[in-house]
Amino acid sequence: MNLHEAPLAAQAQSLSPVDQALVDGVLAGQRRALAKAITLIESTRSDHQQRAQQVLNALLPSTGRAIRVGISGVPGAGKSTFIEALGVWLIEQGKKLAVLAVDPSSSVSGGSILGDKTRMEQLCQREEAFIRPTPSSGSLGGVAEKSREAMLLCEAAGFDVIIIETVGVGQSETTVAGMVDIFCLLQLPNAGDDLQAIKKGIVEIADLVVINKADIDRNATAVTRAQWRNALHMLRPVSPNWSPLVMTASALHKEGIPEFWEAIEKYRSALTPTGEFAAKRQHQALSWMWQLIDFGLRQHFRHHPRVQANLPALTQSVEQGHTTPAAAAYALLDYLKH
Ligand code: GDP
């Protein structure tokens, strides 16, 4: 069946027995089934992709119940220490959590800052936690897309909390902020850091800022906290019902963890009655759809035979100033009509 032509309902009905077993396994919270389903969505094979979309469609009604938390920070900020402390604490509170990573380094260097298996050793051993290292290839868009889908699978498997972790590099923070309910920045207690974040436009997307490693220098932590509060004060809040909080923590000594979670719950209870919490998810889902449409159109364009045949000459003509960029673009887009 051609996925692109099939109505959604038909896609959901046409699951093979193998895929139905996978769906049932995920719904039953079986880790093996969840890991297999994530491997399926990460596969680049087109038949796997088609099956993955069918599996996701079947699971979609069972998604959406978790709280989705993004945690970002530069390498060394203490992300894995913090997530581990938070995870162990959440498990003590009776919760189940999944940790997924969006790792921009993997597409650039082929290696991975986040993907090494020695991180979060305690959490790895817990039945109530599911930790998935990032796929080690693909563009950031591709990796992020897989993380979004993996997040839905984890929700269907019954995890209450999904943490999406990313390194504070380039585009990845904006990408992660676009897929979570609340986006948290982990900062170090030194004055240089916040200026960098302001420059990169990160301040605007932070719902919560945590100054970690407060144990190292309490004074510097207080100064950094005040600087962040000032920086955030100057911005118009995204919602009249939420002003980003600046907190301090020491992940190593497990300080500030319950307070962090209290802030997350406060955020959810401030924005749920107003409808903003649900509206944010709707907006994110639509924006994801449009990103995929844009990507698909671009692919279609690049693979079109007449575009391929004429692109080199037109590119050269624009480079040499014989054709305007606009004329070349319209001529190339026109080929799609025939
Ligand atoms: P990541 O790269 O952001 O994941 O950072 P890690 O969690 O790997 O932490 C980097 C280093 O900082 C490790 O040696 C941690 O033990 C240490 N670290 C993390 N949190 C704290 C903290 O709150 N206080 C202190 N003193 N060290 C910390």
Side-chain angles (χ1 to χ4, degrees):
M1 182 174 63
N2 185 341
L3 185 75
H4 303 291
E5 287 165 10
L8 289 182
Q11 285 174 31
Q13 282 163 11
S14 66
L15 282 178
S16 69
V18 172
D19 289 345
Q20 186 60 54
L22 199 56
V23 166
D24 294 342
V26 171
L27 288 175
Q30 290 165 9
R31 302 167 69 90
R32 251 175 67 90
L34 176 60
K36 260 182 154 172
I38 296 181
T39 304
L40 189 65
I41 61 163
E42 285 173 357
S43 168
T44 49
R45 269 175 55 178
S46 67
D47 58 327
H48 285 175
Q49 275 302 304
Q50 195 164 325
R51 284 177 53 207
Q53 289 310 317
Q54 290 172 350
V55 165
L56 273 170
N57 259 326
L59 290 170
L60 206 57
S62 310
T63 65
R65 284 191 280 267
I67 182 146
R68 307 162 179 176
V69 181
I71 296 186
S72 174
V74 295
K79 292 179 296 302
S80 60
T81 314
F82 188 85
I83 293 170
E84 177 151 79
L86 175 67
V88 170
W89 184 82
L90 282 170
I91 290 169
E92 282 166 10
Q93 310 304 307
K95 301 222 184 291
K96 286 171 68 185
L97 85 155
V99 182
L100 306 168
V102 170
D103 187 350
S105 60
S106 55
S107 56
V108 181
S109 64
S112 164
I113 300 178
L114 291 174
D116 62 89
K117 297 222 168 74
T118 55
R119 306 170 86 241
M120 303 180 216
E121 271 169 353
Q122 281 181 46
L123 210 51
C124 282
Q125 289 162 15
R126 299 296 297 252
E127 190 56 34
E128 304 89 337
F130 180 84
I131 301 175
R132 183 79 178 189
T134 188
S136 59
S137 65
S139 64
L140 176 56
V143 172
E145 186 192 321
K146 304 303 175 197
S147 299
R148 282 183 207 259
E149 293 178 343
M151 175 173 83
L152 296 180
L153 292 175
C154 291
E155 288 186 349
F159 287 92
D160 314 290
V161 178
I162 315 283
I163 293 178
I164 313 256
E165 179 191 7
T166 193
V167 178
V169 179
Q171 183 57 30
S172 67
E173 279 142 324
T174 321
T175 307
V176 170
M179 65 172 97
V180 295
D181 300 317
I182 179 160
F183 183 72
C184 312
L185 263 187
L186 215 58
Q187 288 286 303
L188 291 168
N190 71 51
D193 258 15
D194 63 330
L195 295 175
Q196 228 182 357
I198 290 164
K199 258 192 269 165
K200 285 196 292 178
I202 297 306
V203 184
E204 287 90 339
I205 58 171
D207 301 304
L208 195 59
V209 177
V210 180
I211 319 291
N212 189 34
K213 306 200 186 182
D215 57 290
I216 293 179
D217 186 340
R218 302 272 169 195
N219 278 338
T221 303
V223 170
T224 308
R225 186 183 196 185
Q227 282 176 332
W228 266 99
R229 283 192 166 152
N230 282 340
L232 289 165
H233 246 73
M234 285 189 282
L235 296 172
R236 187 199 299 249
V238 176
S239 160
N241 301 304
W242 182 258
S243 301
L245 292 178
V246 188
M247 325 184 60
T248 62
S250 169
L252 194 63
H253 301 288
K254 301 179 176 51
E255 281 171 34
I257 303 294
E259 292 80 0
F260 174 81
W261 196 251
E262 209 175 288
I264 303 264
E265 293 288 9
K266 212 167 135 190
Y267 176 86
R268 176 154 63 175
S269 49
L271 301 188
T272 301
T274 62
E276 288 163 279
F277 195 82
K280 186 170 178 177
R281 284 191 174 182
Q282 279 167 2
H283 176 79
Q284 288 173 338
L286 282 181
S287 144
W288 180 9
M289 181 185 85
W290 277 109
Q291 280 174 38
L292 292 178
I293 290 173
D294 287 345
F295 179 73
L297 286 175
R298 197 175 273 263
Q299 293 280 92
H300 177 60
F301 175 78
R302 288 195 179 274
H303 290 113
H304 194 281
R306 292 191 67 196
V307 171
Q308 281 185 334
N310 290 283
L311 191 60
L314 274 168
T315 306
Q316 203 179 24
S317 184
V318 171
E319 275 171 353
Q320 292 171 352
H322 300 315
T323 307
T324 65
Y330 294 141
L332 286 165
L333 286 169
D334 240 22
Y335 291 130
L336 293 181
K337 293 182 189 156
H338 310 298

